[in-house]
Amino acid sequence: MYGFAVVNDRGRIAAQSVVQTLGWQPGTPLSIREQAGLVVVTADPGGGSRLTGDGHVRLPVTVRRWCGVEAGSRVLLVADPVGGRLVVHPAASLDMMVTSRHADAFGGGVA
């Protein structure tokens, strides 16, 4: 399951339809970390965050800074039910994927 969201000024992303794929309910405790420029969110009883009642995930400011995510940034949300995680792809990650795919398809640079 994929979705796009805009990060608000408090670091929240509306992820309700995507997190439903993971079976997470409002109040689910979450662990949020950066990994290779991506934001990785997992259900974790010892996690320091929670899924809001509206199905929003709030990204901590430190994670946002590490990944270059600011208020108004559009991000790709990817639910990985097998891995039990939500992966948030910032613009830099999308740029890398597009560049790689275009190089494979067109034998060279980015469009």
Side-chain angles (χ1 to χ4, degrees):
M1 167 66 107
Y2 305 100
F4 284 95
V6 176
V7 179
N8 78 5
D9 62 338
R10 295 183 186 153
R12 287 184 302 194
I13 52 175
Q16 185 177 32
S17 61
V18 177
V19 297
Q20 285 176 344
T21 302
L22 297 166
W24 299 350
Q25 302 297 319
T28 298
L30 303 172
S31 174
I32 302 173
R33 70 186 193 292
E34 180 274 342
Q35 183 173 336
L38 304 174
V39 179
V40 180
V41 183
T42 55
D44 178 357
S49 296
R50 293 197 177 278
L51 187 65
T52 72
D54 294 330
H56 294 146
V57 174
R58 185 180 176 282
L59 304 179
V61 68
T62 53
V63 171
R64 285 183 274 149
R65 286 184 182 148
W66 289 334
C67 297
V69 174
E70 300 176 0
S73 295
R74 294 188 64 80
V75 294
L76 170 65
L77 307 174
V78 179
D80 175 6
V82 174
R85 63 186 156 232
L86 170 69
V87 181
V88 181
H89 291 262
S93 171
L94 297 176
D95 290 343
M96 289 173 50
M97 286 188 284
V98 169
T99 299
S100 176
R101 183 66 180 116
H102 282 205
D104 289 347
F106 306 119
V110 186

